[in-house]
Amino acid sequence: MTTVLKFGGTSVATPEALARLTEIVRATAGKRVVVVSATAGTTNALLQAADAAAAGDGDRAQRVIDELAAAHDGLLRSVAPVAADTTAADLAELAARTGALLRSVAILHECTARTRDAILAYGELASAPIVAAALRRAGVKAQPLATVGMVVTDDAFGSASPIFAETHARSREMLGPLLDDGVVPVLTGFIGATAEGVTTTLGRGASDYTAAIVAAALRADECRIYTDVSGVMSADPRMVRGSRPLARLSYAEAAELSYFGAKVLHPRAVLPAIEAGIPVRILNTFAPDDPGTTITGQGVPDGSVVKATTSLGGLGLVTVQGAGMSGVPGFAAKVFDTTAAEGVSVLMISQSSSENSICLVVPADTGDRLKAALERMLAKELAHHDVERVSVERPIAVVAAVGEGMRGTPGVAARVFGALGRTKVNVIAIAQGSSELNISFCVAEADQAKAVRAIHEEFERAAS
Ligand code: ASP
Ligand code: MG
């Protein structure tokens, strides 16, 4: 049995968290690989330091490093008062190296993506030895291991892509003997290196990705993502009092949920594990006995229809309207060319079959810019009144009801919209993908929470 356990930023940031982590690792049988994030807030602080240095403020950048170094040293000494000396010296040297990088950035007034990755790597390079020291203190044979040299990537600094074949081979080669010896390797999440050995990062929040990649390489039995919540919830608990953690999700459901707000994990990050048939479990470091959420490639039918309701506010609805649009091939292409040219990401699209209007849901702050660009693009159509107007409505929210169980189940839409009607929430636009996994609709932002509650209640009541 091989288990990959990934601990996020809050799970490694305090002596209490490290005590929990240690308990969890000790209680896990078989071969164990630990993957860690930087301590909470560290990566952001490093980014600020890099920005300050690039702006020429080397002193400010150095202060950030000094503060981070002091915090890491304090954390190390609190968990491993004895035998911390070599680790403390390593950490001091790492901080000195990062400080030197920042000084060069400040002199050059320029921080390339490549240099930024070398600076950001400090976070995970510092947390892994601290976690390993905490584990050793508790009698676990742990060894920190930097994933530069193990996770091989391309050179797209800032969001590098792993080269899987090489990464898998090296992971097995480097981790296999340690695991056979009963050692728990503590890997740095988030970072890798090019084949030439230049440090890269895999994108913000990518420690989950590291865990999934390593789980796939080792053909692990389970990939656990430890965070500070007990899994993916059926609805945002700040909006819905009766929301509860979901025991099981299919990968497709998790993807739908994360898209609209449920930010527990980025499903793409765990795809390597899912593709290898390895279940991914989201668990709470601070409540490790909670069952959490298990994500698998295929859904397990559990009789539920709408499993979760999620929403995202701060959006605008851009509508292009006019009778002269119908039956004109290429019209939608013009609209989407414009959104692409403006670099505006579209969250939801809806067009009625009369083709008299196309609605696009976009981030609220891009609405005016997109409206102006569309008016330029469609100037001729507007002059001829083929297009009547381009309008923006905001603030609006998108609400999505998600669940594999609604595929092929008649009457789900009727229940969704019936529940909204009874609570007197006005629906502005509707979309459903043909995967039938998700019914999405727009409401005024003021109605967002009310809409989520209405749907959650409709389907929870039936389930219980
Ligand atoms: N430390 C990195 C970040 O904050 C990676 C991670 O936390 O997963 O983006
Ligand atoms: Mg994180």
Side-chain angles (χ1 to χ4, degrees):
M1 172 99 183
T2 303
T3 309
V4 174
L5 305 94
K6 182 261 170 176
F7 293 90
T10 51
S11 300
V12 295
T14 60
E16 300 74 53
L18 290 172
R20 299 295 188 120
L21 177 156
T22 303
E23 280 309 303
I24 290 165
V25 173
R26 287 178 48 166
T28 305
K31 296 179 176 175
R32 298 151 294 175
V33 177
V34 170
V35 177
V36 295
S37 286
T39 60
T42 296
T43 308
N44 285 338
L46 290 164
L47 271 176
Q48 280 162 15
D51 288 345
D57 193 346
D59 290 344
R60 209 176 121 220
Q62 187 58 50
R63 273 201 303 281
V64 173
I65 292 300
D66 291 343
E67 278 164 25
L68 288 176
H72 283 97
D73 189 65
L75 187 60
L76 172 68
R77 288 177 198 284
S78 72
V79 293
V82 234
D85 288 353
T86 50
T87 307
D90 289 346
L91 289 181
E93 196 196 307
L94 177 67
R97 231 177 23 237
T98 310
L101 275 174
L102 285 161
R103 272 197 300 287
S104 351
V105 169
I107 291 166
L108 292 168
H109 278 247
E110 182 194 36
C111 189
T112 62
R114 171 176 169 154
T115 305
R116 183 175 294 113
D117 275 359
I119 294 166
L120 292 187
Y122 169 92
E124 275 73 8
L125 290 173
S127 61
I130 297 174
V131 170
L135 286 168
R136 275 199 304 270
R137 175 101 199 284
V140 179
K141 272 209 284 179
Q143 184 178 312
L145 207 147
T147 45
V148 285
M150 189 181 110
V151 175
V152 185
T153 73
D154 62 14
D155 62 357
F157 297 102
S159 59
S161 298
I163 297 160
F164 285 103
E166 188 61 28
T167 301
H168 283 189
R170 291 202 194 181
S171 302
R172 282 187 218 122
E173 210 173 277
M174 291 169 74
L175 301 176
L178 294 174
L179 293 171
D180 288 340
D181 276 353
V183 173
V184 175
V186 180
L187 310 184
T188 54
F190 181 52
I191 59 182
T194 64
E196 293 76 39
V198 182
T199 300
T200 54
T201 64
L202 307 178
R204 289 307 307 272
S207 297
D208 293 349
Y209 197 28
T210 308
I213 293 166
V214 171
L218 299 176
R219 299 193 185 88
D221 298 275
E222 199 170 274
C223 179
R224 299 193 202 153
I225 309 281
Y226 281 92
T227 175
D228 50 13
V229 292
S230 294
V232 182
M233 304 288 284
S234 58
D236 185 337
R238 287 166 304 184
M239 273 182 210
V240 179
R241 217 176 295 131
S243 67
R244 57 186 174 79
L246 298 164
R248 289 186 149 276
L249 280 177
S250 69
Y251 178 74
E253 287 170 335
E256 295 282 349
L257 284 174
S258 76
Y259 189 61
F260 290 115
K263 286 233 169 48
V264 178
L265 94 165
H266 209 303
R268 248 202 346 252
V270 299
L271 193 55
I274 297 289
E275 281 179 340
I278 301 165
V280 174
R281 298 180 64 197
I282 315 293
L283 294 158
N284 190 345
T285 302
F286 305 93
D289 294 331
D290 284 359
T293 301
T294 302
I295 302 172
T296 47
Q298 299 306 315
V300 180
D302 60 358
S304 68
V305 184
V306 168
K307 214 182 249 185
T309 311
T310 177
S311 67
L312 188 67
L315 302 173
L317 181 74
V318 175
T319 304
V320 181
Q321 197 183 351
M325 289 158 42
S326 75
V328 182
F331 189 84
K334 268 192 176 178
V335 170
F336 291 112
D337 276 347
T338 310
T339 60
E342 288 295 310
V344 170
S345 95
V346 179
L347 286 96
M348 186 182 122
I349 303 161
S350 123
Q351 183 190 289
S352 61
S353 60
S354 71
E355 301 180 45
N356 277 350
S357 69
I358 297 181
C359 302
L360 309 173
V361 177
V362 297
D365 57 359
T366 63
D368 287 328
R369 182 156 57 87
L370 183 59
K371 175 178 188 291
L374 284 167
E375 283 169 347
R376 279 196 304 278
M377 178 66 147
L378 302 171
K380 225 170 49 215
E381 288 84 348
L382 282 161
H384 294 157
H385 296 277
D386 287 337
V387 171
E388 269 334 307
R389 66 173 163 274
V390 181
S391 56
V392 198
E393 207 172 322
R394 93 196 123 211
I396 65 148
V398 171
V399 178
V402 175
E404 301 250 20
M406 59 200 223
R407 188 175 296 139
T409 307
V412 182
R415 285 176 62 191
V416 167
F417 295 109
L420 293 168
R422 284 193 299 280
T423 26
K424 305 227 169 345
V425 170
N426 178 44
V427 177
I428 303 170
I430 303 170
Q432 182 192 290
S434 57
S435 65
E436 294 185 57
L437 200 67
N438 170 336
I439 297 177
S440 302
F441 58 90
C442 298
V443 297
E445 199 184 56
D447 287 336
Q448 179 178 354
K450 212 160 117 190
V452 171
R453 275 196 293 274
I455 295 172
H456 191 264
E457 196 179 305
E458 168 72 26
F459 291 93
E460 286 292 299
R461 199 163 26 86
S464 56

